[in-house]
Amino acid sequence: MSFAMANEIVSAAEVYFDPKMIEVHSPGVAADLSIFNRGDKAQLPGIYNVEAYVNKQKVKKIALRFINAKEGTLQPVFTPEILKSLGVNTLAFTALQGNDKRELTEPLNVVIPFATAQFTFTTLRLDLSIPQAALVRQAQDYIDPQRWDDGIPVFFTSYNFSGASQRQEQGDDESSQYLNLQNGLNFGAWRLRNYSTYSASSEQHHWDNIESYAERDIKSLEARLLAGQGMTQGDLFNSLQFTGGEFYSDDAMLPNSQRGFAPVVRGEASTNAEVTIKQNGYLIAQRYVAPGPFVIDDLYPSSWSGDLDVIIKEADGSTHKFTQPFSSVPIMQRQGHLKYNAVFGRYRAADSKDKQPLFGELAVIYGASNWITPYAGTRFSDKYLALLSGLGITLSEMGSVSLDVTHARATLYEGERSEGSSWRAQYSKSLAASDTSISIGGYRYSSSGYYDFDEANHRNDDENQWQYDHKRSKFQISVQQALFSAVNFYFSAFQQNYWNSTAQSRNYMAGFNTSIASVNYSLSYSASKLEDGDSDNQLAFNVRVPLNKWLPHSWATYAYTRQKDQGAIQQTGLSGTAFADNRMSYSLQQSLSSDNQNLGTSTYAAYRSKYGNVNAGYYRQRDNVQLSYGLSGGLFIHEKGVTLSQPPGESFALIDASGASGVRVKNIPGVETDWRGFAVIPYLTSYNENRIAIDTKHLPDDVEIVQTAQEVVPTKGALVAVRFKSFQGARALVHLQREDGSPVPFGAGVVADGTSEESIVDDGGIVYLSGLKQGEPTQLSVKWGNAASQQCRAWVTVSSESSGVLSLTVPCH
């Protein structure tokens, strides 16, 4: 070994520590620290889990081997397979042809000209600078489909049970129960699902099968295939229940930056330029482009409208700007994006008396340009045919509009033939100057001969009233307005008329919400009228005051409501959450009528545990007492046993903590591993990176986790397995003494029997160890050199009653 001299000239970039300083306890025995004197620039070679960034964009977390390069710096060792996963176009380089798994020990710029790699050890971040020409062109936040995880085989059920019992001073006691079951079976990419319900009351009880189907994704087409009972997509026609098959594109499989509508921005740069894109004054994207024409087609959809301001800043400091019009109705698609669905099956009518014929449906929507999205579709059966065509159009500063017409020919229930058309217009506009958004304004008019598919198959028991359910026109609008940057106002209206009838359905709602000094206020008014003539209206005012100064995570609430034909009702209450992770919620409410009569007192509490959720409520009003209760959760049967969980969502993860119980998960209240070391993360986002992190602040005393966070990318409905390696046993600070009483040298490596993990001795001869067996000795192998005199062995025995971090002194022979 070569030792640094005290008078060595050290550059300002280096951090120098004199090795002789650690000889205080071990004279003449020192470690070679020269490799550590360069801070981030040099460390020990080995395999590190690093966050890989390509051109300042995070790509993935990978385990990468590093070797020593010149001056002790660490150099990453890539394989063609790893470079391909980072977005490199490996087909463009001869050096990357052949065996995808072979290691490339030469620097990155030798393999890819002008590429560089910079590793920051303290943050375990690897920054790669790779010319755009060497990359496969991909949208930002693109995730390689090879990372999509179909998960492990599993049978599960998601249950939600609720019940109530009511006791009245005058009248019969009543009780009711309801059970909702959503069952699933996963194998490979296939998902089998069943949705059933059970309801019971004092008078009757019955089971209902809502739907059952098999489904899988077709990754290469970014689409899904469904067989069984389902619902049509509803993009062009109204959604229908059916039994049959459906094939449709799934936007959830696209990168986030490709979902929803956003225009393609095209321009030209004279130098290596910075392109900044703003909308309504807010920065939404920034890119660096090479000289020449550029295309930016991966903007996130930020709002329904609001023109884009594009600023190109050249390398010499000069700038030029232009405006890209942007306004969209829901039907609009990105340029070049095709959305489609195809259905064939038997119609499932809500009323068993209606006809339920075989039918088919085709729908296609295509983003032809930034300004035009054409779409078309058809729905047909033996006695019905509808053809639809339309356009979505951007009108620049005037907003955007979609216009379509549907022509239908139908043979009605009694054999009568009818033919007609329906015209529809939708409009959207955002006014940046006044912060106003007309999210959608729509109008539909149908001629007297036009029937929807469900109308054409509907049977009316009163033949003389056949056409009364026949829709004539429909109008709807929704407006949002921000005032003074603190008040949000909203208004929505809906009205529908019918042929051969004066009946109307309509609903109006208006209100605002605001927050002043952390106190939330809201006021709303709604009025509605149903087709049968019944009408209702309601005025509501709510206040929510935080009480954190006196009672953490709690709020005082006040509500005032007045309904048609009823007096005013006032409610005061207290609500909040409890425990460190807010796993319990509660509320107390007291109701008073306008004449100050006590209308009722209610209490409610809900608790989220690792095995499921429970809730209970109590309500009392004069002589009426009601008790409600509920239980919800999930049961998963997988290859390693049975695991209970909180109510699962669409996709989920199974945590395997190597038998460690009581391990909590960050940001998900109540979730922790069971007695076998398993837990289910109840909800993940499909086709997205989901970070699962262990809550290290609340680890059990006898558990140590090696890697505390992992990222997974589940497909829809998948149960992905996530294993966290843990050490279970006692933890101790062990002072290792050599035979002459001196401490083991600083930097010595310690490996406990039965493990492969190495710990490092500090400058006082102390090493931190975890996972030590209790009640029996554990052998330690200590090494600070290759010579026999530079190695020793020690035995540590920890009492079975011990807890916490122990302090021990043991001899090392």
Side-chain angles (χ1 to χ4, degrees):
M1 288 187 176
S2 63
F3 292 86
M5 303 300 293
N7 61 352
E8 180 181 359
I9 299 176
V10 182
S11 68
E14 295 182 347
V15 178
Y16 177 71
F17 182 83
D18 189 346
K20 293 182 179 180
M21 295 295 292
I22 66 172
E23 296 184 32
V24 175
H25 301 289
S26 303
V29 181
D32 182 1
L33 304 182
S34 59
I35 195 172
F36 300 107
N37 287 339
R38 294 177 56 80
D40 263 348
K41 294 184 178 179
Q43 290 291 334
L44 291 173
I47 297 176
Y48 296 99
N49 290 306
V50 301
E51 297 276 4
Y53 287 73
V54 176
N55 298 339
K56 298 184 179 181
Q57 295 290 327
K58 180 182 175 182
V59 178
K60 63 187 299 188
K61 190 170 187 175
I62 56 174
L64 201 61
R65 190 165 80 88
F66 289 81
I67 60 175
N68 276 330
K70 61 181 181 178
E71 299 180 356
T73 58
L74 287 182
Q75 175 189 306
V77 177
F78 296 101
T79 66
E81 183 180 49
I82 291 175
L83 289 174
K84 185 177 181 180
S85 72
L86 295 174
V88 174
N89 182 10
T90 56
L91 298 177
F93 301 94
T94 306
L96 299 178
Q97 304 302 307
N99 183 5
D100 276 354
K101 297 186 180 297
R102 77 182 191 282
E103 292 189 334
L104 307 169
T105 56
E106 57 267 34
L108 186 60
N109 63 336
V110 175
V111 180
I112 304 173
F114 307 108
T116 62
Q118 182 178 351
F119 179 45
T120 305
F121 181 81
T122 52
T123 58
L124 293 178
R125 171 168 170 161
L126 178 64
D127 280 283
L128 304 178
S129 176
I130 301 176
Q132 290 290 336
L135 296 174
V136 177
R137 193 166 181 274
Q138 296 169 339
Q140 60 174 322
D141 65 39
Y142 169 81
I143 298 174
D144 189 340
Q146 291 185 357
R147 294 183 61 200
W148 295 356
D149 192 343
D150 284 326
I152 61 176
V154 63
F155 170 80
F156 71 92
T157 183
S158 173
Y159 60 89
N160 190 329
F161 173 76
S162 61
S165 60
Q166 188 171 4
R167 187 176 73 250
Q168 302 182 60
E169 189 76 20
Q170 298 179 352
D172 297 332
D173 294 347
E174 297 181 359
S175 65
S176 62
Q177 292 82 36
Y178 173 78
L179 176 64
N180 180 313
L181 291 176
Q182 298 188 49
N183 310 302
L185 175 65
N186 291 1
F187 56 95
W190 283 99
R191 313 282 182 251
L192 272 63
R193 298 292 186 263
N194 169 263
Y195 178 25
S196 302
T197 63
Y198 171 79
S199 59
S201 65
S202 303
E203 293 80 23
Q204 60 180 358
H205 59 88
H206 58 88
W207 278 95
D208 287 315
N209 179 57
I210 308 302
E211 61 182 16
S212 301
Y213 61 89
E215 185 181 32
R216 65 160 297 158
D217 56 19
I218 309 297
K219 297 180 177 64
S220 59
L221 299 177
E222 295 173 338
R224 304 195 69 79
L225 176 65
L226 180 146
Q229 298 170 320
M231 294 192 69
T232 61
Q233 295 304 297
D235 291 317
L236 302 187
F237 298 99
N238 60 317
S239 187
L240 300 177
Q241 289 187 319
F242 70 91
T243 301
E246 182 176 24
F247 182 70
Y248 62 97
S249 57
D250 186 2
D251 286 353
M253 301 170 75
L254 299 172
N256 289 329
S257 61
Q258 295 290 293
R259 301 177 192 175
F261 177 79
V264 175
V265 176
R266 301 176 187 274
E268 186 162 343
S270 302
T271 63
N272 290 315
E274 176 190 81
V275 180
T276 301
I277 302 175
K278 294 183 177 182
Q279 185 181 45
N280 300 332
Y282 295 97
L283 177 67
I284 64 171
Q286 192 171 64
R287 302 281 192 280
Y288 292 89
V289 299
F294 64 84
V295 177
I296 299 176
D297 59 1
D298 60 352
L299 296 177
Y300 287 95
S302 55
S303 66
W304 288 119
S305 57
D307 293 345
L308 305 181
D309 297 317
V310 183
I311 306 166
I312 304 173
K313 184 178 180 180
E314 303 288 356
D316 60 5
S318 62
T319 61
H320 52 282
K321 307 176 183 179
F322 64 90
T323 298
Q324 172 71 60
F326 176 23
S327 189
S328 166
V329 287
I331 204 69
M332 297 288 285
Q333 299 296 309
R334 291 173 184 260
Q335 183 175 346
H337 179 59
L338 177 67
K339 190 174 184 180
Y340 56 87
N341 76 285
V343 179
F344 185 77
R346 184 172 296 280
Y347 171 49
R348 296 176 65 207
D351 189 338
S352 59
K353 298 177 183 179
D354 292 350
K355 289 193 298 182
Q356 302 189 48
L358 291 170
F359 79 101
E361 178 180 311
L362 297 172
V364 178
I365 310 170
Y366 180 68
S369 70
N370 284 343
W371 298 274
I372 296 179
T373 295
Y375 53 95
T378 180
R379 179 176 281 176
F380 56 90
S381 68
D382 59 339
K383 294 183 179 180
Y384 185 87
L385 175 64
L387 299 172
L388 181 151
S389 62
L391 284 176
I393 306 170
T394 293
L395 304 175
S396 187
E397 296 181 358
M398 296 177 63
S400 60
V401 65
S402 68
L403 304 167
D404 59 62
V405 60
T406 306
H407 187 78
R409 184 170 63 245
T411 300
L412 305 180
Y413 198 92
E414 300 299 328
E416 176 187 353
R417 293 188 176 183
S418 184
E419 187 170 352
S421 298
S422 179
W423 293 266
R424 177 175 59 177
Q426 297 183 90
Y427 177 78
S428 175
K429 174 61 181 174
S430 178
L431 302 174
S434 60
D435 208 359
T436 303
S437 174
I438 304 176
S439 58
I440 179 170
Y443 180 77
R444 177 189 284 274
Y445 175 83
S446 302
S447 64
S448 59
Y450 176 83
Y451 286 83
D452 284 342
F453 185 79
D454 49 349
E455 290 176 336
N457 289 286
H458 177 63
R459 175 179 178 176
N460 195 313
D461 292 332
D462 187 347
E463 297 180 8
N464 295 324
Q465 304 296 321
W466 162 251
Q467 294 185 346
Y468 273 22
D469 288 333
H470 184 198
K471 292 185 284 288
R472 177 176 182 173
S473 65
K474 181 171 69 175
F475 170 78
Q476 63 187 62
I477 188 172
S478 177
V479 179
Q480 295 186 42
Q481 173 71 61
L483 301 173
F484 314 116
S485 302
V487 181
N488 294 310
F489 170 80
Y490 59 90
F491 170 77
S492 63
F494 167 85
Q495 179 170 303
Q496 184 162 274
N497 301 315
Y498 303 86
W499 281 102
N500 302 321
S501 172
T502 58
Q504 284 185 340
S505 296
R506 63 172 179 260
N507 179 269
Y508 306 95
M509 179 176 289
F512 76 88
N513 55 73
T514 186
S515 180
I516 302 175
S518 300
V519 179
N520 296 320
Y521 303 87
S522 66
L523 176 67
S524 66
Y525 176 79
S526 63
S528 62
K529 181 181 179 182
L530 303 179
E531 182 184 351
D532 59 11
D534 291 341
S535 62
D536 191 17
N537 58 65
Q538 183 186 69
L539 175 69
F541 174 67
N542 291 272
V543 181
R544 191 168 185 254
V545 183
L547 302 175
N548 290 332
K549 291 183 179 180
W550 303 277
L551 186 62
H553 309 292
S554 63
W555 298 266
T557 60
Y558 170 79
Y560 173 92
T561 59
R562 177 182 289 274
Q563 284 185 276
K564 179 184 178 182
D565 301 329
Q566 296 183 18
I569 297 176
Q570 300 182 70
Q571 286 183 316
T572 58
L574 174 70
S575 62
T577 59
F579 301 114
D581 56 359
N582 299 314
R583 65 176 63 187
M584 181 176 179
S585 59
Y586 62 88
S587 69
L588 308 170
Q589 298 286 337
Q590 177 68 54
S591 300
L592 296 172
S593 65
S594 55
D595 55 1
N596 291 324
Q597 291 188 3
N598 184 359
L599 292 183
T601 301
S602 65
T603 61
Y604 175 84
Y607 183 80
R608 290 181 284 185
S609 78
K610 58 186 174 183
Y611 299 119
N613 298 347
V614 295
N615 66 75
Y618 175 82
Y619 175 79
R620 183 180 185 90
Q621 179 187 13
R622 296 177 184 171
D623 299 329
N624 179 16
V625 176
Q626 178 177 289
L627 176 67
S628 62
Y629 47 88
L631 177 66
S632 60
L635 182 149
F636 290 79
I637 303 175
H638 49 89
E639 58 189 2
K640 294 187 178 181
V642 179
T643 303
L644 299 175
S645 78
Q646 295 180 7
E650 181 181 82
S651 301
F652 6 81
L654 176 69
I655 288 182
D656 179 357
S658 308
S661 64
V663 176
R664 296 187 186 182
V665 180
K666 273 187 178 180
N667 302 322
I668 307 181
V671 173
E672 61 182 66
T673 55
D674 59 18
W675 62 277
R676 297 171 56 244
F678 292 96
V680 170
I681 304 295
Y683 36 81
L684 300 177
T685 304
S686 306
Y687 307 104
N688 276 256
E689 280 189 346
N690 295 260
R691 187 173 187 270
I692 299 174
I694 298 300
D695 185 355
T696 55
K697 293 182 179 179
H698 297 92
L699 279 176
D701 287 342
D702 62 345
V703 174
E704 193 84 13
I705 301 292
V706 178
Q707 183 182 356
T708 59
Q710 295 187 47
E711 291 180 345
V712 295
V713 185
T715 57
K716 183 179 178 181
L719 175 71
V720 296
V722 184
R723 189 172 189 272
F724 288 95
K725 187 176 181 180
S726 67
F727 294 105
Q728 299 173 71
R731 296 178 293 170
L733 290 170
V734 180
H735 185 191
L736 297 168
Q737 288 186 335
R738 301 167 69 191
E739 292 182 356
D740 60 1
S742 63
V744 168
F746 171 65
V750 180
V751 177
D753 186 28
T755 71
S756 59
E757 301 293 327
E758 185 178 59
S759 302
I760 304 297
V761 174
D762 73 3
D763 59 344
I766 298 175
V767 62
Y768 172 77
L769 299 174
S770 62
L772 296 173
K773 299 175 182 178
Q774 293 182 277
E776 58 182 281
T778 299
Q779 179 178 287
L780 306 180
S781 298
V782 186
K783 183 178 179 181
W784 60 94
N786 294 322
S789 61
Q790 295 175 311
Q791 302 177 39
C792 65
R793 293 182 183 275
W795 284 263
V796 176
T797 302
V798 178
S799 170
S800 57
E801 289 80 21
S802 61
S803 62
V805 180
L806 307 176
S807 180
L808 305 173
T809 298
V810 298
C812 193
H813 303 285

